[in-house]
Amino acid sequence: MKLNINFKKRGNYNTLKADILKKRVHFKSLYNIDSTKAIDSASRFIYNQLINHLVPHWYGTTWDFNGHTNIPNQGDIACGYFVSTTLKHLGFNVNRYKMAQQAGLIEAQTLQAKNQLKLFSNVSFNTLKLKLNEAYSDGMYFVGLDNHVGYILLKDKELYFLHSSYYDDKVMIELAEISPCFRSKFYVFAEISTNRDLIKKWILNTHLEIPNTQ
């Protein structure tokens, strides 16, 4: 898989999290001067930190339906907790427990307005891939499926599924096309690294509200 991304963990995880928060202070200062430049720069930073720095520490962490560890490769992690915990460690102001316990559609709405989400039902993989490439540019996205959630890395027209796999029992990245866990009747996608409203919330440390499901 030649993705030109990093797969190996580097350095201390707690130091990495602290450095991300320090960097956010810089982006907030820049935002007060030039908001467009700050969001553009923070978008690239968030993408790079998530895929190349945070996630490599999580590869191989054991999946469990009830897993909610806060420490990579110590304890187990369920699919929803993998997403919410890595977003929390990336500096998003979110309740990782409450987010992880929601259905995929609600998790998606935590990240992006409902009318901006992309929803698909009963589509072939090739159709889904075509429609996502028409709608999105390269970046990191959230995906909710019938009974599973994870990240989609869209890169050079290809879809890679990054998730805590109940099939392989671990956190992994694989081609979405051949992933047993990616088969679903329903898909919902929310933008992360390309989501300017979300990036602004990250810069300003705005709390991510989880929609009321009552």
Side-chain angles (χ1 to χ4, degrees):
M1 199 184 294
K2 293 184 178 178
L3 275 170
N4 291 320
I5 63 173
N6 175 49
F7 292 98
K8 295 181 179 178
K9 64 180 181 180
R10 299 169 177 166
N12 179 275
Y13 193 72
N14 288 329
T15 302
L16 174 60
K17 289 192 294 180
D19 288 345
I20 289 171
L21 296 183
K22 287 177 189 173
K23 189 70 175 177
R24 187 172 64 191
V25 175
H26 158 77
F27 284 115
K28 188 172 183 181
S29 298
L30 180 59
Y31 183 85
N32 292 330
I33 301 166
D34 187 337
S35 60
T36 300
K37 184 177 179 182
I39 290 173
D40 287 343
S41 298
S43 172
R44 291 189 294 270
F45 175 78
I46 284 171
Y47 169 86
N48 182 49
Q49 291 300 311
L50 183 59
I51 193 69
N52 289 318
H53 298 278
L54 279 174
V55 164
H57 283 267
W58 285 91
Y59 286 132
T61 303
T62 309
W63 170 87
D64 184 83
F65 183 78
N66 297 307
H68 57 267
T69 182
N70 198 42
I71 304 170
N73 277 289
Q74 288 187 31
D76 307 317
I77 195 86
C79 62
Y81 278 101
F82 169 63
V83 172
S84 67
T85 303
T86 46
L87 288 175
K88 179 82 173 177
H89 293 174
L90 192 54
F92 284 102
N93 185 349
V94 65
N95 183 323
R96 76 181 187 101
Y97 296 99
K98 190 174 180 183
M99 181 178 178
Q101 291 161 5
Q102 307 304 315
L105 181 60
I106 302 301
E107 289 193 61
Q109 290 177 53
T110 303
L111 301 172
Q112 191 165 30
K114 190 175 183 179
N115 63 357
Q116 295 175 351
L117 302 175
K118 297 282 185 285
L119 288 81
F120 305 94
S121 295
N122 298 308
V123 295
S124 69
F125 179 80
N126 287 338
T127 299
L128 181 67
K129 184 177 176 180
L130 181 67
K131 289 185 176 293
L132 289 179
N133 274 293
E134 287 173 350
Y136 293 146
S137 56
D138 282 7
M140 288 290 285
Y141 299 84
F142 167 85
V143 60
L145 306 98
D146 290 341
N147 297 295
H148 195 46
V149 298
Y151 294 111
I152 279 290
L153 169 63
L154 176 58
K155 190 170 174 65
D156 301 327
K157 304 292 183 184
E158 195 56 81
L159 303 179
Y160 301 91
F161 192 26
L162 174 53
H163 62 126
S164 186
S165 170
Y166 58 82
Y167 185 84
D168 287 280
D169 292 326
K170 64 181 180 180
V171 173
M172 61 188 296
I173 186 170
E174 57 187 333
L175 280 165
E177 186 170 6
I178 61 172
S179 171
C181 301
F182 196 70
R183 295 170 193 153
S184 182
K185 290 182 179 178
F186 169 80
Y187 298 90
V188 57
F189 294 87
E191 297 175 77
I192 297 177
S193 64
T194 56
N195 184 340
R196 300 185 74 81
D197 289 337
L198 184 64
I199 302 301
K200 178 182 175 182
K201 289 178 179 178
W202 178 83
I203 292 171
L204 301 179
N205 196 29
T206 304
H207 181 65
L208 302 188
E209 295 291 341
I210 294 162
N212 192 334
T213 56
Q214 301 301 318

